[in-house]
Amino acid sequence: MQDMQNGDSPQEVNQVGDTEDPSKFLGDIIGAPVVVKLNSDIVFRGTLQSVDGYMNISLERCREVDHNNKVVRDYGEAFVRGNNVIYICLDDGSV
Amino acid sequence: MQDMQNGDSPQEVNQVGDTEDPSKFLGDIIGAPVVVKLNSDIVFRGTLQSVDGYMNISLERCREVDHNNKVVRDYGEAFVRGNNVIYICLDDGSV
Amino acid sequence: MQDMQNGDSPQEVNQVGDTEDPSKFLGDIIGAPVVVKLNSDIVFRGTLQSVDGYMNISLERCREVDHNNKVVRDYGEAFVRGNNVIYICLDDGSV
Amino acid sequence: MQDMQNGDSPQEVNQVGDTEDPSKFLGDIIGAPVVVKLNSDIVFRGTLQSVDGYMNISLERCREVDHNNKVVRDYGEAFVRGNNVIYICLDDGSV
Amino acid sequence: MQDMQNGDSPQEVNQVGDTEDPSKFLGDIIGAPVVVKLNSDIVFRGTLQSVDGYMNISLERCREVDHNNKVVRDYGEAFVRGNNVIYICLDDGSV
Amino acid sequence: MQDMQNGDSPQEVNQVGDTEDPSKFLGDIIGAPVVVKLNSDIVFRGTLQSVDGYMNISLERCREVDHNNKVVRDYGEAFVRGNNVIYICLDDGSV
Amino acid sequence: MQDMQNGDSPQEVNQVGDTEDPSKFLGDIIGAPVVVKLNSDIVFRGTLQSVDGYMNISLERCREVDHNNKVVRDYGEAFVRGNNVIYICLDDGSV
């Protein structure tokens, strides 16, 4: 019988089965162009320079884009605090 | 007499009884098409590639769909941060 | 003299007195039809298949219903992340 | 010199002085009719059956009421996840 | 060189200097009339009966007041979950 | 190789470099007039009496001001729960 | 087989690969002009004086700017609580 937790964080899901690890994907795209969506409806495009244990991210050539992908601000290098990140995906130009 | 906690996370519920484990369901659908609803009213469809201990998820053939299931963006592979996930279910085309 | 905490999670309330345990109710309704209200104004109806230590839930025959209890989506089996749950109650058809 | 924390949870306030304990009030009202206000502007009336260490609550004869105290749903027994609770008070009919 | 944290909770600020302790103020006003502002724009007036380690609060003669200080509900005794508290101040009638 | 965390709290950023400490600034302004902005768009002006390890704050001569700096409420002494604080700055009258 | 967590904080992503560390960027810009975006749509410009383990930040010559970069308030020195930070980037005047 396992003790139950239902907190927001850290909430644990028990054993899922033999799967790779989502962070492997992150490791594979270091140095690649990415799209990063943040909580506050902010979308960044830039080069994923590094990711730390808290999913804090540093991006190079970081641009904030609007819903039509138009650049609204060019930040150069930016540090994004991990808990604001919703998703990260490769920017192959089609996104 | 048990000590009381009422924090958001990690909040614990004590002993529930002999039940399977919700994460077994996740394990069973690795590699399957899924629908993932996120906090910010974002719905992803894609193939569940992996899930880690924090419910971070990597999806292949990941598409963002609107309320009418129309694809609004095609992300290819995406990393979704676990705390944004509301629910995951099998995508048998009927959803 | 006890040390004070006032964090969101894990926030603790000290000794309450000899009461059953709310999770006993959850254990009793495994396998039963339930209504689950989530943070984002989402209401699920389904069969409570399992609950884990973080109140992650797997539901069978899971349907999303609107405020008039009309089914808007039929998910079959779904995994709901615990921190999104507001309340769970038995679905005796009267709810 | 004490180390400073200013996190949401678990945030601690240091020594307050010799006071009873708020949870004593909860212990005293087990089995009594209560009003429970939740984060999402939901108000429950019901009999407080049990409270656990995470302020998860089980209520019997649980009814959801609107701002005019009109019953909008009758849930019978319900499990309410602790982190959604704002306040609990005795329901002496005057509330 | 100190390790960096930037989580919501528990977030720590390091050494601040020889100051009293904010909780001393709370200790001093036990038994006094207070105003308590909660996250959801709720304002309570009542007698501060007790505060625990998680800033859970029990109030006697607890009334909910609107922006014009008009009593909208009289709760008698109420338990307020600590993480919903924004601020507490003495109610000297001028507030 | 470092383990990754991306929780809201406690989220850690690793080694930053030899910098002073932001809390030194807080220590320096104990007893000084400050402006404190809270999450719920509330702005307090008052004398910073003390700060604890959780950034809970006690303010003397605490006034709530509107966007035009007009005092809307005078609280005398107030206890502000740390997790609601966005920023604190010196009140040199120019703010 | 790794234990699963999916809490908001601290949520961990496992091993990502040999990358620098995002906090290195922060270390490099101590003393430099920066732009800091906060949760509540607040944008600060100022000189990054220090960052601690919780990403609490002290800024000198801190000005709050509106969406057109017009200074709406001049704070001099300010302490910003880390969990409100979304991103930090160099202010080379082009932002």
Side-chain angles (χ1 to χ4, degrees), chain E residues 37-42 83-86, chain F residues 40 81 83-84:
Chain E
K37 170 98 175 194
L38 303 183
N39 280 335
S40 32
D41 210 17
I42 294 174
N83 74 317
N84 297 291
V85 171
I86 298 180
Chain F
S40 32
R81 195 163 160 273
N83 74 317
N84 297 292

Side-chain angles (χ1 to χ4, degrees), chain B:
Chain B
M1 211 52 35
Q2 123 247 70
D3 210 10
M4 291 202 65
Q5 296 199 12
N6 67 356
D8 288 355
S9 95
Q11 192 158 352
E12 302 215 2
V13 178
N14 301 321
Q15 194 159 329
V16 168
D18 277 312
T19 79
E20 237 178 35
D21 194 301
S23 59
K24 184 185 173 304
F25 167 68
L26 288 182
D28 295 347
I29 60 173
I30 297 285
V34 292
V35 175
V36 183
K37 171 100 177 195
L38 303 184
N39 280 334
S40 31
D41 211 16
I42 294 174
V43 178
F44 279 167
R45 286 174 179 268
T47 305
L48 182 61
Q49 199 208 23
S50 62
V51 188
D52 73 8
Y54 305 96
M55 269 197 69
N56 299 310
I57 292 173
S58 65
L59 292 173
E60 286 170 339
R61 295 184 51 253
C62 173
R63 293 98 57 209
E64 184 175 340
V65 296
D66 63 20
H67 286 274
N68 305 311
N69 277 331
K70 197 173 135 266
V71 176
V72 294
R73 275 182 217 274
D74 192 325
Y75 290 115
E77 199 166 346
F79 174 97
V80 178
R81 196 165 161 272
N83 74 315
N84 296 293
V85 171
I86 296 178
Y87 60 76
I88 305 174
C89 64
L90 263 178
D91 185 358
D92 56 10
S94 70
V95 178

Side-chain angles (χ1 to χ4, degrees), chain F residues 48-95:
Chain F
L48 182 60
Q49 199 206 24
S50 62
V51 188
D52 74 8
Y54 305 95
M55 267 198 68
N56 299 309
I57 292 172
S58 66
L59 292 171
E60 284 170 341
R61 295 185 51 253
C62 174
R63 293 98 57 208
E64 185 175 340
V65 296
D66 64 20
H67 286 272
N68 305 310
N69 277 332
K70 198 174 135 267
V71 175
V72 293
R73 273 183 219 273
D74 193 324
Y75 290 115
E77 198 167 345
F79 174 97
V80 179
R81 195 163 160 273
N83 74 317
N84 297 292
V85 171
I86 297 180
Y87 60 77
I88 304 173
C89 62
L90 262 178
D91 184 359
D92 57 9
S94 70
V95 177

Side-chain angles (χ1 to χ4, degrees), chain C residues 2-14, chain E residues 9 23 26 51-56 79 81-83:
Chain C
Q2 118 249 72
D3 210 10
M4 290 202 66
Q5 296 200 10
N6 67 358
D8 289 356
S9 94
Q11 192 160 352
E12 301 215 3
V13 178
N14 301 322
Chain E
S9 95
S23 58
L26 288 182
V51 189
D52 74 7
Y54 305 96
M55 268 199 67
N56 298 310
F79 174 97
R81 195 163 161 273
N83 74 317

Side-chain angles (χ1 to χ4, degrees), chain C residues 2-40:
Chain C
Q2 118 249 72
D3 210 10
M4 290 202 66
Q5 296 200 10
N6 67 358
D8 289 356
S9 94
Q11 192 160 352
E12 301 215 3
V13 178
N14 301 322
Q15 194 158 330
V16 166
D18 277 312
T19 80
E20 239 179 33
D21 195 300
S23 58
K24 183 183 173 306
F25 168 67
L26 288 182
D28 295 346
I29 60 174
I30 297 286
V34 292
V35 176
V36 182
K37 171 99 177 194
L38 303 184
N39 279 335
S40 33

